[in-house]
Amino acid sequence: MTSSPVPTVRPSTDDRWWVRTWPLGRDEIVSLTIKLALVIAVGIVVGTLLTEWSVFGGVREFDRRTAEAFVDARTSTWDEFAHWGAFLSSTPVKIVLTAIVVVLLIRRFRSWYDAVLIGLPLVFEATAYLVTSIVVGRPRPDVPRLEDSPVDTTFPSGHVAAATVYVAFAVVVFRHTDRIAARVAAVVATVSVPLIVGLARVYQGMHYVSDVVAGVVLGAVSLAIAVRALRRPSVDEASECTPDPTQPELVGAGTTASERER
Amino acid sequence: MTPHPHDQREASGITPDIAWTTPPVGGTDLGRIAAAWLMLVVGLTLAGAAVVAWWESSRFGVADADVNRWFERRRTETWTSVAEFASAFSDTRTVVVVGVVTLPLFLWLLRRWNDYAFVFGGLVLEVTSFVVVSMLVGRARPPVEQLDGAPTNSFPSGHIAASVVLYSGLMLVVYAQTRRRGPRVAATVIGVGVPAAVIASRLYLGMHYPTDAIAGVALGVVVLVVMWHVVLIGDVDDDVPDDNVTPQLADVAR
């Protein structure tokens, strides 16, 4: 970076937490934008090859056969389960859940970090999904579909990508607690969501299996990029994630005692 | 009025780190909620019966349906998907999933039941009284094509009542816990905007008369008033003095 004599960034010792803890500077945003473009480019290439190239004929054949097998296996009970399953990742649920969680996290920890950790991968994933699916334009499976969708394209699965991003909840839990029960519960819950959603969407004839796999990859990549991009709260940035001092500390919550003393 | 258990523990100097083991409501509170439920059901059923018996056949009733026809004439594909999207924010499934998933998060992050019980207990009160009233009144849906399916009747609107309890209720939780202007403005936008969007969408979709919408808002508001008096959601710690600077976007965005 340039060695400007005047710091362009506010010192991290600012006593206003909403200034001190904002984890996205100009560098981070530029880097995220470049990575977003790269992810979209890779998605478009993979999606187009998968849809058009004869080498992947086997994959398309497998997709087609699994889609039909799921149609043959349909029962009214499973229809209902699939409806609920896919619903875990529907847009209103995603928006409301994320908004509530973000507000609760900000309130408790007086820090943007966890909130951005939840929100950023979702925005990243949604943007990449939108552009990729429009450009690739793969038609949905040619089977009776159990859901209406305003989107006609199937690669990748936006539902599954968004469901995978729920794993960010587990990342936040890991940052703040050592309790095995809490960690196991967080991992089991957030990992099972994309599996349930993916299975449900294939069952409903909304996506091929390869779309679901691509959705998982997109979600995981978005999450990994976002986690790496955020300026991690460090020892130098005075105990960024110390919980609200008037509220009691969780066991092993986020910061060490030495950090808290600063 | 006796102090709330939550206040007593604060006063007695017990650290609130086990506050989540304190139930948000006691025995007498449950009695008050039950009384409120009964009054809601009786009051709304009488109002609904009056609407069906006298209002619908009057010229006001015709005007009531005219609003639905006005919306029906303006239906387009785009507006229909917008209305379905807005309506989905108050679907039973949405509310159930949000209620279940946020329970551990509320307990972990606020370390007490009160805020969760205020909103989602309010939803239980709302939905149970709504189902009974809807069944007893049995008002038919408006004389336009319905663009959404529903197992219940027209009066009152459960979607609208639930949207008021959930989104305006969350707004009240924010109001109770901070005086800072930024969060309050954001909460107001959601707490007023989402129910407004749900009202418009239910009328557009031909699911409810305007009178059903009014009854739905009334149900939601009464539930919030009851819960406000029963469950304390006041500031656990209002860290921001009144004269504190409101966070400006410029500061945050750097």
Side-chain angles (χ1 to χ4, degrees):
Chain A
M1 284 301 298
T2 54
S3 54
S4 159
V6 184
T8 51
V9 180
R10 281 171 192 277
S12 61
T13 49
D14 196 312
D15 58 354
R16 294 168 300 176
W17 65 261
W18 57 89
V19 177
R20 189 185 67 238
T21 67
W22 184 249
L24 286 173
R26 196 193 299 138
D27 294 351
E28 283 83 2
I29 289 172
V30 168
S31 142
L32 278 168
T33 312
I34 294 169
K35 284 169 183 160
L36 179 62
L38 278 175
V39 168
I40 291 172
V42 171
I44 289 172
V45 170
V46 171
T48 310
L49 290 181
L50 195 67
T51 317
E52 315 275 338
W53 202 23
S54 57
V55 171
F56 289 115
V59 177
R60 290 198 291 276
E61 178 62 21
F62 170 77
D63 276 350
R64 201 180 52 73
R65 272 191 285 115
T66 44
E68 282 165 6
F70 271 103
V71 172
D72 293 340
R74 279 180 193 168
T75 67
S76 56
T77 315
W78 282 111
D79 286 0
E80 188 65 16
F81 275 124
H83 195 55
W84 275 93
F87 196 74
L88 293 174
S89 195
S90 76
T91 310
V93 170
K94 231 158 35 186
I95 293 175
V96 176
L97 270 184
T98 305
I100 291 178
V101 172
V102 159
V103 170
L104 288 175
L105 284 168
I106 292 174
R107 158 138 189 82
R108 169 114 172 100
F109 296 113
R110 295 281 179 270
S111 160
W112 289 104
Y113 188 85
D114 295 299
V116 176
L117 195 66
I118 300 265
L120 179 66
L122 201 58
V123 174
F124 190 98
E125 164 275 313
T127 315
Y129 155 72
L130 201 67
V131 179
T132 311
S133 69
I134 288 173
V135 173
V136 172
R138 184 183 196 188
R140 288 199 186 270
D142 188 19
V143 296
R145 294 193 283 275
L146 300 180
E147 300 261 310
D148 293 329
S149 174
V151 186
D152 293 330
T153 59
T154 190
F155 181 95
S157 166
H159 268 70
V160 173
T164 309
V165 168
Y166 279 136
V167 173
F169 289 13
V171 176
V172 168
V173 169
F174 268 66
R175 278 173 37 72
H176 290 288
T177 183
D178 292 334
R179 283 187 199 153
I180 297 296
R183 288 183 160 201
V184 169
V187 169
V188 169
T190 55
V191 170
S192 56
V193 170
L195 296 179
I196 292 170
V197 172
L199 202 59
R201 297 291 284 177
V202 173
Y203 175 91
Q204 291 180 319
M206 302 303 291
H207 288 291
Y208 293 113
V209 172
S210 55
D211 306 329
V212 168
V213 173
V216 170
V217 172
L218 172 59
V221 166
S222 303
L223 183 57
I225 288 175
V227 170
R228 285 175 57 94
L230 294 187
R231 254 188 241 141
R232 220 164 273 270
S234 65
V235 182
D236 297 334
E237 292 190 19
S239 61
E240 197 160 335
C241 276
T242 306
D244 186 343
T246 58
Q247 291 198 14
E249 187 70 278
L250 286 175
V251 175
T255 46
T256 64
S258 61
E259 277 169 348
R260 240 173 283 125
E261 282 164 14
R262 286 164 180 271
Chain B
M1 211 172 92
T2 52
H4 195 273
H6 191 73
D7 290 351
Q8 284 170 345
R9 23 175 7 101
E10 298 276 354
S12 65
I14 300 170
T15 51
D17 76 326
I18 47 167
W20 65 274
T21 58
T22 310
V25 291
T28 54
D29 298 322
L30 290 175
R32 287 152 80 193
I33 291 176
W37 182 88
L38 199 63
M39 283 192 287
L40 266 174
V41 168
V42 171
L44 273 175
T45 305
L46 291 178
V51 164
V52 172
W54 297 307
W55 173 277
E56 275 196 335
S57 51
S58 73
R59 62 198 164 89
F60 301 110
V62 175
D64 215 6
D66 278 346
V67 174
N68 294 103
R69 295 199 189 90
W70 186 88
F71 274 106
E72 192 184 33
R73 284 197 298 277
R74 274 153 191 81
R75 280 179 187 168
T76 65
E77 216 169 283
T78 314
W79 279 117
T80 301
S81 30
V82 171
E84 281 170 348
F85 183 72
S87 178
F89 277 87
S90 200
D91 275 352
T92 314
R93 286 171 201 265
T94 310
V95 174
V96 169
V97 169
V98 170
V100 170
V101 174
T102 54
L103 172 58
L105 295 162
F106 267 95
L107 286 180
W108 171 40
L109 293 167
L110 295 182
R111 310 194 69 73
R112 57 175 197 175
W113 283 92
N114 300 38
D115 318 271
Y116 182 85
F118 173 73
V119 175
F120 292 95
L123 280 167
V124 173
L125 178 59
E126 175 269 318
V127 85
T128 48
S129 47
F130 153 73
V131 166
V132 174
V133 173
S134 181
M135 203 176 59
L136 289 177
V137 174
R139 189 184 196 188
R141 300 273 175 186
V144 295
E145 188 201 348
Q146 270 91 59
L147 298 183
D148 192 10
T152 48
N153 295 307
S154 201
F155 184 98
S157 167
H159 269 78
I160 293 170
S163 73
V164 170
V165 175
L166 179 53
Y167 299 101
S168 308
L170 289 171
M171 172 185 82
L172 292 179
V173 172
V174 172
Y175 264 75
Q177 299 202 9
T178 183
R179 291 196 189 88
R180 207 179 270 160
R181 205 189 314 143
R184 281 192 163 195
V185 169
T188 311
V189 169
I190 290 164
V192 176
V194 176
V198 171
I199 291 170
S201 73
R202 297 309 282 175
L203 294 175
Y204 175 95
L205 294 170
M207 299 307 291
H208 290 289
Y209 292 100
T211 33
D212 307 331
I214 294 169
V217 172
L219 170 56
V221 169
V222 170
V223 164
L224 286 180
V225 170
V226 170
M227 296 308 287
W228 181 271
H229 281 95
V230 173
V231 182
L232 287 183
I233 55 168
D235 27 13
V236 247
D237 55 298
D238 201 336
D239 59 312
V240 186
D242 286 323
D243 57 351
N244 201 312
V245 197
T246 307
Q248 299 296 316
L249 204 59
D251 290 336
V252 172
R254 202 183 274 161

